[in-house]
PDB file of all heavy atoms in Angstrom:
ATOM      1  N   ARG A  31     -39.433  51.695  14.695  1.00  0.00           N
ATOM      2  CA  ARG A  31     -39.376  53.092  14.335  1.00  0.00           C
ATOM      3  C   ARG A  31     -38.048  53.701  14.787  1.00  0.00           C
ATOM      4  O   ARG A  31     -37.512  53.354  15.828  1.00  0.00           O
ATOM      5  CB  ARG A  31     -40.529  53.849  14.977  1.00  0.00           C
ATOM      6  CG  ARG A  31     -41.900  53.404  14.471  1.00  0.00           C
ATOM      7  CD  ARG A  31     -42.996  54.241  15.120  1.00  0.00           C
ATOM      8  NE  ARG A  31     -44.311  53.837  14.637  1.00  0.00           N
ATOM      9  CZ  ARG A  31     -45.442  54.411  15.044  1.00  0.00           C
ATOM     10  NH1 ARG A  31     -45.400  55.395  15.941  1.00  0.00           N
ATOM     11  NH2 ARG A  31     -46.597  53.989  14.562  1.00  0.00           N
ATOM     12  N   PHE A  32     -37.546  54.573  13.981  1.00  0.00           N
ATOM     13  CA  PHE A  32     -36.308  55.268  14.319  1.00  0.00           C
ATOM     14  C   PHE A  32     -36.586  56.279  15.418  1.00  0.00           C
ATOM     15  O   PHE A  32     -37.461  57.137  15.292  1.00  0.00           O
ATOM     16  CB  PHE A  32     -35.741  55.973  13.093  1.00  0.00           C
ATOM     17  CG  PHE A  32     -34.528  56.809  13.398  1.00  0.00           C
ATOM     18  CD1 PHE A  32     -33.292  56.221  13.593  1.00  0.00           C
ATOM     19  CD2 PHE A  32     -34.636  58.188  13.506  1.00  0.00           C
ATOM     20  CE1 PHE A  32     -32.172  56.981  13.885  1.00  0.00           C
ATOM     21  CE2 PHE A  32     -33.524  58.956  13.792  1.00  0.00           C
ATOM     22  CZ  PHE A  32     -32.288  58.347  13.980  1.00  0.00           C
ATOM     23  N   LYS A  33     -35.859  56.130  16.520  1.00  0.00           N
ATOM     24  CA  LYS A  33     -36.015  57.038  17.642  1.00  0.00           C
ATOM     25  C   LYS A  33     -34.742  57.854  17.814  1.00  0.00           C
ATOM     26  O   LYS A  33     -33.661  57.288  18.042  1.00  0.00           O
ATOM     27  CB  LYS A  33     -36.303  56.264  18.922  1.00  0.00           C
ATOM     28  CG  LYS A  33     -37.634  55.511  18.895  1.00  0.00           C
ATOM     29  CD  LYS A  33     -37.880  54.811  20.221  1.00  0.00           C
ATOM     30  CE  LYS A  33     -39.216  54.085  20.215  1.00  0.00           C
ATOM     31  NZ  LYS A  33     -39.468  53.399  21.511  1.00  0.00           N
ATOM     32  N   PRO A  34     -34.842  59.160  17.683  1.00  0.00           N
ATOM     33  CA  PRO A  34     -33.630  59.994  17.849  1.00  0.00           C
ATOM     34  C   PRO A  34     -32.998  59.845  19.232  1.00  0.00           C
ATOM     35  O   PRO A  34     -31.776  59.916  19.365  1.00  0.00           O
ATOM     36  CB  PRO A  34     -34.165  61.419  17.632  1.00  0.00           C
ATOM     37  CG  PRO A  34     -35.416  61.240  16.836  1.00  0.00           C
ATOM     38  CD  PRO A  34     -36.011  59.949  17.294  1.00  0.00           C
ATOM     39  N   SER A  35     -33.812  59.603  20.256  1.00  0.00           N
ATOM     40  CA  SER A  35     -33.244  59.466  21.595  1.00  0.00           C
ATOM     41  C   SER A  35     -32.362  58.219  21.695  1.00  0.00           C
ATOM     42  O   SER A  35     -31.307  58.243  22.336  1.00  0.00           O
ATOM     43  CB  SER A  35     -34.363  59.401  22.629  1.00  0.00           C
ATOM     44  OG  SER A  35     -35.226  58.292  22.369  1.00  0.00           O
ATOM     45  N   ARG A  36     -32.801  57.123  21.057  1.00  0.00           N
ATOM     46  CA  ARG A  36     -31.983  55.910  21.083  1.00  0.00           C
ATOM     47  C   ARG A  36     -30.683  56.120  20.332  1.00  0.00           C
ATOM     48  O   ARG A  36     -29.609  55.688  20.785  1.00  0.00           O
ATOM     49  CB  ARG A  36     -32.761  54.748  20.471  1.00  0.00           C
ATOM     50  CG  ARG A  36     -31.991  53.443  20.439  1.00  0.00           C
ATOM     51  CD  ARG A  36     -32.812  52.336  19.794  1.00  0.00           C
ATOM     52  NE  ARG A  36     -34.030  52.089  20.549  1.00  0.00           N
ATOM     53  CZ  ARG A  36     -34.986  51.244  20.149  1.00  0.00           C
ATOM     54  NH1 ARG A  36     -34.868  50.603  18.999  1.00  0.00           N
ATOM     55  NH2 ARG A  36     -36.066  51.058  20.895  1.00  0.00           N
ATOM     56  N   ALA A  37     -30.741  56.763  19.186  1.00  0.00           N
ATOM     57  CA  ALA A  37     -29.517  57.042  18.430  1.00  0.00           C
ATOM     58  C   ALA A  37     -28.573  57.942  19.225  1.00  0.00           C
ATOM     59  O   ALA A  37     -27.353  57.733  19.213  1.00  0.00           O
ATOM     60  CB  ALA A  37     -29.872  57.692  17.089  1.00  0.00           C
ATOM     61  N   ALA A  38     -29.133  58.916  19.927  1.00  0.00           N
ATOM     62  CA  ALA A  38     -28.294  59.800  20.731  1.00  0.00           C
ATOM     63  C   ALA A  38     -27.614  59.024  21.858  1.00  0.00           C
ATOM     64  O   ALA A  38     -26.438  59.258  22.163  1.00  0.00           O
ATOM     65  CB  ALA A  38     -29.135  60.945  21.292  1.00  0.00           C
ATOM     66  N   ARG A  39     -28.328  58.073  22.469  1.00  0.00           N
ATOM     67  CA  ARG A  39     -27.710  57.267  23.525  1.00  0.00           C
ATOM     68  C   ARG A  39     -26.555  56.441  22.991  1.00  0.00           C
ATOM     69  O   ARG A  39     -25.494  56.343  23.622  1.00  0.00           O
ATOM     70  CB  ARG A  39     -28.766  56.359  24.177  1.00  0.00           C
ATOM     71  CG  ARG A  39     -29.752  57.086  25.058  1.00  0.00           C
ATOM     72  CD  ARG A  39     -30.464  56.118  25.990  1.00  0.00           C
ATOM     73  NE  ARG A  39     -31.236  55.147  25.235  1.00  0.00           N
ATOM     74  CZ  ARG A  39     -32.533  55.280  24.925  1.00  0.00           C
ATOM     75  NH1 ARG A  39     -33.175  56.376  25.306  1.00  0.00           N
ATOM     76  NH2 ARG A  39     -33.171  54.345  24.254  1.00  0.00           N
ATOM     77  N   TYR A  40     -26.759  55.827  21.810  1.00  0.00           N
ATOM     78  CA  TYR A  40     -25.686  55.032  21.221  1.00  0.00           C
ATOM     79  C   TYR A  40     -24.474  55.897  20.891  1.00  0.00           C
ATOM     80  O   TYR A  40     -23.324  55.479  21.068  1.00  0.00           O
ATOM     81  CB  TYR A  40     -26.182  54.323  19.954  1.00  0.00           C
ATOM     82  CG  TYR A  40     -27.065  53.131  20.236  1.00  0.00           C
ATOM     83  CD1 TYR A  40     -28.220  52.900  19.505  1.00  0.00           C
ATOM     84  CD2 TYR A  40     -26.749  52.241  21.254  1.00  0.00           C
ATOM     85  CE1 TYR A  40     -29.042  51.808  19.758  1.00  0.00           C
ATOM     86  CE2 TYR A  40     -27.546  51.150  21.522  1.00  0.00           C
ATOM     87  CZ  TYR A  40     -28.700  50.940  20.775  1.00  0.00           C
ATOM     88  OH  TYR A  40     -29.485  49.857  21.054  1.00  0.00           O
ATOM     89  N   VAL A  41     -24.705  57.093  20.396  1.00  0.00           N
ATOM     90  CA  VAL A  41     -23.590  57.986  20.064  1.00  0.00           C
ATOM     91  C   VAL A  41     -22.828  58.378  21.327  1.00  0.00           C
ATOM     92  O   VAL A  41     -21.588  58.361  21.366  1.00  0.00           O
ATOM     93  CB  VAL A  41     -24.107  59.235  19.326  1.00  0.00           C
ATOM     94  CG1 VAL A  41     -22.993  60.274  19.179  1.00  0.00           C
ATOM     95  CG2 VAL A  41     -24.650  58.862  17.961  1.00  0.00           C
ATOM     96  N   ILE A  42     -23.567  58.715  22.381  1.00  0.00           N
ATOM     97  CA  ILE A  42     -22.914  59.100  23.635  1.00  0.00           C
ATOM     98  C   ILE A  42     -22.119  57.929  24.211  1.00  0.00           C
ATOM     99  O   ILE A  42     -20.974  58.088  24.658  1.00  0.00           O
ATOM    100  CB  ILE A  42     -23.963  59.602  24.639  1.00  0.00           C
ATOM    101  CG1 ILE A  42     -24.582  60.908  24.138  1.00  0.00           C
ATOM    102  CG2 ILE A  42     -23.332  59.811  26.013  1.00  0.00           C
ATOM    103  CD1 ILE A  42     -25.721  61.414  25.001  1.00  0.00           C
ATOM    104  N   LEU A  43     -22.703  56.719  24.194  1.00  0.00           N
ATOM    105  CA  LEU A  43     -21.999  55.548  24.712  1.00  0.00           C
ATOM    106  C   LEU A  43     -20.768  55.229  23.879  1.00  0.00           C
ATOM    107  O   LEU A  43     -19.723  54.832  24.420  1.00  0.00           O
ATOM    108  CB  LEU A  43     -22.944  54.344  24.739  1.00  0.00           C
ATOM    109  CG  LEU A  43     -24.081  54.400  25.764  1.00  0.00           C
ATOM    110  CD1 LEU A  43     -24.991  53.191  25.613  1.00  0.00           C
ATOM    111  CD2 LEU A  43     -23.530  54.456  27.176  1.00  0.00           C
ATOM    112  N   ALA A  44     -20.866  55.391  22.555  1.00  0.00           N
ATOM    113  CA  ALA A  44     -19.707  55.129  21.695  1.00  0.00           C
ATOM    114  C   ALA A  44     -18.581  56.121  21.987  1.00  0.00           C
ATOM    115  O   ALA A  44     -17.400  55.738  22.054  1.00  0.00           O
ATOM    116  CB  ALA A  44     -20.113  55.200  20.220  1.00  0.00           C
ATOM    117  N   VAL A  45     -18.927  57.385  22.173  1.00  0.00           N
ATOM    118  CA  VAL A  45     -17.902  58.386  22.483  1.00  0.00           C
ATOM    119  C   VAL A  45     -17.246  58.100  23.832  1.00  0.00           C
ATOM    120  O   VAL A  45     -16.008  58.167  23.969  1.00  0.00           O
ATOM    121  CB  VAL A  45     -18.527  59.798  22.461  1.00  0.00           C
ATOM    122  CG1 VAL A  45     -17.530  60.836  22.975  1.00  0.00           C
ATOM    123  CG2 VAL A  45     -18.982  60.156  21.059  1.00  0.00           C
TER     124      VAL A  45
END
Side-chain angles (χ1 to χ4, degrees):
R31 296 182 179 180
F32 175 77
K33 295 182 179 180
S35 59
R36 179 181 299 175
R39 288 198 298 267
Y40 284 137
V41 171
I42 293 175
L43 291 176
V45 172

